[in-house]
Amino acid sequence: MIDKTVPDVAAAVAGIPDGATVMIGGFGRAGQPVELIDALIAHGARDLTVVNNNAGNGDTGLAALLAAGQVRKMICSFPRQSDSWVFDGLYREGKVELELVPQGNLAERIRAAGAGIGGFFTPTGFGTQLAEGKETRRIDGRDYVLEYPIRADVALISARAADRWGNLVYRETARNFGPIMAAAASTTVVQVDEVVPLGWLDPEAVITPGLYVDRVVAVGERPWLRDGEFVGGVDIEGRPLALEAPPTADPTTAGRAEQ
């Protein structure tokens, strides 16, 4: 019987070695697998290369992993913002390396790894410092830079729900880098709000097939959700972000048989 669920987050991140390349989903805080990151901090793996769109927010999640001194290098597209003080301090002190990648290139380099593509030419970055030392080519009168895939030993991502086979559905923009990271890593670990019985997920709503998933752990619904819907939360200054959201279709119930 195929069952990819594990009992807790410690089991989910077990075996991640020092020096691993770890993709971490999320666009800022949206879709960031905070519970898995906390488990990785407790696990203690060091000298990590972390691939993420950002370089941490505030003092939690990815920022906490950086603050713990476990990250050797960040590969990201947006390392600095108003609440990226942890990364800023470490980078200025020379305690963490940075590979800056334009956001579209980052997404395509990750996707290329999952699709088995050996490399691709893109106009983004041509003529800038980001293209120094890279192969260039003129195609149909336009200049391009050769970029290579980014692969990872492990991907840590967050989804709305899964079944025991590892099929995943996401909540709106919290999906972001999750699907392409799941395909680009040797081992994909997913935290979900809930694990539902087989047949409860609408096949048309499954974004990441279980083929790409190795471990699933249920962490419960987040405090800013209610029955899978966004009901608020606060920004970094503590101001409310939204009132209760109107009801929408739940992809975890669309495939359930009538009782």
Side-chain angles (χ1 to χ4, degrees):
M1 181 181 73
I2 297 175
D3 187 353
K4 298 180 179 181
T5 62
V6 295
D8 52 43
V9 290
V13 302
I16 297 178
D18 293 349
T21 296
V22 182
M23 290 180 176
I24 298 179
F27 193 94
R29 290 188 175 97
Q32 190 173 139
V34 175
E35 286 80 1
L36 287 178
I37 296 171
D38 289 345
L40 182 58
I41 295 171
H43 173 61
R46 308 188 70 81
D47 295 321
L48 302 173
T49 295
V50 172
V51 183
N52 184 266
N53 184 67
N54 302 74
N57 309 82
D59 298 297
T60 61
L62 178 53
L65 182 66
L66 284 159
Q70 294 172 236
V71 180
R72 178 185 63 83
K73 179 179 179 180
M74 281 295 313
I75 301 175
C76 67
S77 70
F78 196 70
R80 298 196 69 234
Q81 55 197 59
S82 62
D83 60 348
S84 61
W85 50 75
V86 173
F87 174 81
D88 284 0
L90 292 172
Y91 184 73
R92 292 176 188 277
E93 294 171 10
K95 295 181 177 179
V96 64
E97 300 175 34
L98 171 65
E99 180 180 341
L100 187 65
V101 184
Q103 191 171 92
N105 286 3
L106 180 68
E108 185 62 8
R109 289 178 67 187
I110 296 170
R111 191 197 71 82
I117 295 172
F120 61 93
F121 284 95
T122 173
T124 304
F126 180 86
T128 72
Q129 292 182 357
L130 297 178
E132 290 181 359
K134 297 179 180 179
E135 181 181 341
T136 60
R137 184 174 298 183
R138 177 164 284 242
I139 303 173
D140 291 335
R142 192 173 186 185
D143 294 311
Y144 292 80
V145 180
L146 177 62
E147 296 285 358
Y148 291 99
I150 299 175
R151 298 179 177 87
D153 301 299
V154 180
L156 305 180
I157 63 175
S158 175
R160 166 73 181 88
D163 58 28
R164 63 176 172 83
W165 286 354
N167 297 307
L168 306 179
V169 296
Y170 300 84
R171 187 188 180 278
E172 301 177 356
T173 56
R175 175 193 311 182
N176 52 70
F177 289 86
I180 57 175
M181 287 183 172
S186 298
T187 300
T188 296
V189 182
V190 187
Q191 68 170 66
V192 294
D193 295 356
E194 61 176 337
V195 175
V196 300
L198 292 177
W200 281 33
L201 297 179
D202 180 358
E204 295 296 327
V206 170
I207 302 299
T208 299
L211 173 70
Y212 296 113
V213 174
D214 297 282
R215 303 175 192 170
V216 175
V217 59
V219 299
E221 193 164 69
R222 319 305 156 77
W224 55 87
L225 297 177
R226 183 180 304 150
D227 296 328
E229 298 301 327
F230 182 68
V231 294
V234 296
D235 63 16
I236 59 174
E237 280 81 32
R239 296 175 299 220
L241 290 174
L243 299 176
E244 185 168 348
T248 58
D250 185 345
T252 67
T253 62
R256 299 178 188 176
E258 293 184 4
Q259 300 298 318

